[in-house]
């Protein structure tokens, strides 16, 4: 199965649009908590249906683990078995054909050796026993016949080799195609992480996204910093993250900065705060804590210490 997914960048999205910063040197932003590598949307071929879901939300998975089986798996397994049988047949035809032609060459080679020995005997004994010139000419002709047949056999052997090798190569390609099709009938995790959301059920057609997976072993904040504050943010600066959903505050460190200005995607619950402003992204790695991996996609308030 060829899995298609949309990977978001790791972080909590912060937008520096607070009406009043904590202090004159602080940079206040909105943000969203996300796992390392972002949230990966895992899907499958849209023409298929779901046969079985093998995981549940919150389950830890490894890269390559099967998350779901699609209804096409049984048919594609049979197609793979059929293509493997065709490959075996093509290899047998090649090997048996080559064996027959090589035996023919061996017999012709033995015949040529015998003919040469007989002619050599005639040359040796013709002084003692009369041998007609016609008989010697016939034996010489025998040698020429064997040599010609050996040349033709070599040509036929090469033709047979090319033809049967082509048949085997075609059969091998069909096996590879069948293996790829079978792989697409299983939905696999693209990374080591946690199943954050299961969005399909057995019997349903495959939707745009079947699973949301993320590596929660390391959590980030993707910050959207207001463009006027972009040049004030530096790698290594400390940040404080807060929300009504968090007991206490989280802390982190600015790890990287974006270079492109874009329109913010977060909104404030305060109607007096301007939204839709132009921002730049800052990624903040959160310090280890007991809650952040349970708060994926939580919008938070962020203060970056300049």
């Amino acid at each position: 199965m060829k899995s298609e997914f949309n990977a978001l960048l790791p972080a909590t999205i912060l937008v520096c649009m607070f009406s009043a910063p904590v202090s004159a040197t602080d940079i206040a932003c909105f943000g969203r908590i996300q796992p390392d590598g972002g949230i990966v949307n895992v899907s499958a071929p849209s023409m298929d249906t779901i046969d079985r879901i093998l995981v549940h939300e919150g389950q830890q998975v490894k890269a390559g683990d099967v998350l779901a089986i699609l209804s096409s798996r049984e048919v594609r397994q049979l197609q793979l078995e059929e293509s493997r049988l065709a490959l075996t047949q093509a290899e047998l035809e090649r090997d048996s054909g080559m064996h027959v032609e090589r035996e023919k060459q061996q017999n012709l080679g033995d015949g040529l050796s015998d003919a040469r020995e007989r002619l050599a005997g005639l040359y040796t004994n013709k002084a003692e026993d009369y041998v007609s010139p016609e008989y010697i000419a016939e034996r010489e002709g025998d040698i020429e016949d064997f040599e010609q047949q050996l040349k033709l056999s070599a040509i036929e052997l090469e033709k047979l080799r090319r033809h049967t090798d082509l048949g085997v190569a075609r059969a091998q390609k069909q096996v590879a195609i069948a293996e790829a099709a079978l792989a697409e009938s299983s939905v696999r995790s693209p990374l080591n992480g946690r199943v954050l959301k299961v969005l399909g059920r057995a019997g349903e057609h495959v939707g745009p996204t079947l699973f949301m997976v993320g590596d929660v072993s390391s959590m980030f904040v993707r910050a959207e910093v207001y463009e006027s504050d972009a040049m004030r943010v530096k790698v290594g600066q400390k940040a404080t993250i807060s929300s009504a959903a968090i007991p206490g505050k989280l802390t982190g460190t600015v790890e990287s900065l974006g270079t492109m200005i874009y329109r913010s995607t977060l909104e404030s619950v305060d109607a007096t705060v301007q939204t839709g402003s132009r921002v730049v992204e800052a990624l903040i790695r959160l310090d280890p804590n007991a809650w952040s991996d349970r708060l994926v996609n939580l919008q938070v308030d962020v203060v970056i210490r300049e």
Side-chain angles (χ1 to χ4, degrees), residues 170-234:
R170 285 173 176 167
Q172 289 173 335
K173 185 174 292 186
Q174 290 303 312
V175 169
I177 291 172
E179 288 175 340
L182 179 62
E184 287 187 349
S185 67
S186 298
V187 182
R188 297 178 181 272
S189 173
L191 50 79
N192 297 334
R194 179 186 296 169
V195 178
L196 302 175
K197 192 71 176 175
V198 178
L199 299 169
R201 298 181 180 179
E204 293 180 344
H205 284 286
V206 174
T209 301
L210 286 183
F211 303 95
M212 299 174 73
V213 182
D215 178 9
V216 297
S217 62
S218 181
M219 300 298 289
F220 281 77
V221 169
R222 180 194 290 175
E224 291 179 355
V225 180
Y226 188 50
E227 61 183 349
S228 63
D229 292 325
M231 299 305 294
R232 297 172 57 199
V233 180
K234 304 289 189 298

Side-chain angles (χ1 to χ4, degrees), residues 15 66 82 147 177 191 245 284 287:
V15 184
V66 178
E82 183 178 1
E147 290 175 340
I177 291 172
L191 50 79
I284 300 171
D287 297 330

Side-chain angles (χ1 to χ4, degrees), residues 159-294:
K159 287 182 179 179
L160 178 63
R161 184 191 64 77
R162 292 180 180 179
H163 177 73
T164 54
D165 281 353
L166 182 60
V168 170
R170 285 173 176 167
Q172 289 173 335
K173 185 174 292 186
Q174 290 303 312
V175 169
I177 291 172
E179 288 175 340
L182 179 62
E184 287 187 349
S185 67
S186 298
V187 182
R188 297 178 181 272
S189 173
L191 50 79
N192 297 334
R194 179 186 296 169
V195 178
L196 302 175
K197 192 71 176 175
V198 178
L199 299 169
R201 298 181 180 179
E204 293 180 344
H205 284 286
V206 174
T209 301
L210 286 183
F211 303 95
M212 299 174 73
V213 182
D215 178 9
V216 297
S217 62
S218 181
M219 300 298 289
F220 281 77
V221 169
R222 180 194 290 175
E224 291 179 355
V225 180
Y226 188 50
E227 61 183 349
S228 63
D229 292 325
M231 299 305 294
R232 297 172 57 199
V233 180
K234 304 289 189 298
V235 173
Q237 287 175 331
K238 299 300 181 180
T240 302
I241 296 89
S242 60
S243 166
I246 300 174
K249 294 183 178 181
L250 305 178
T251 58
T253 305
V254 176
E255 187 165 277
S256 66
L257 301 170
T259 58
M260 184 175 71
I261 304 295
Y262 62 98
R263 189 169 296 279
S264 67
T265 60
L266 298 179
E267 297 182 358
S268 172
V269 294
D270 186 349
T272 65
V273 175
Q274 180 185 3
T275 60
S277 301
R278 297 184 65 78
V279 296
V280 65
E281 184 178 86
L283 300 184
I284 300 171
R285 180 184 291 274
L286 292 177
D287 297 330
N289 60 81
W291 304 293
S292 62
D293 66 339
R294 299 167 54 191

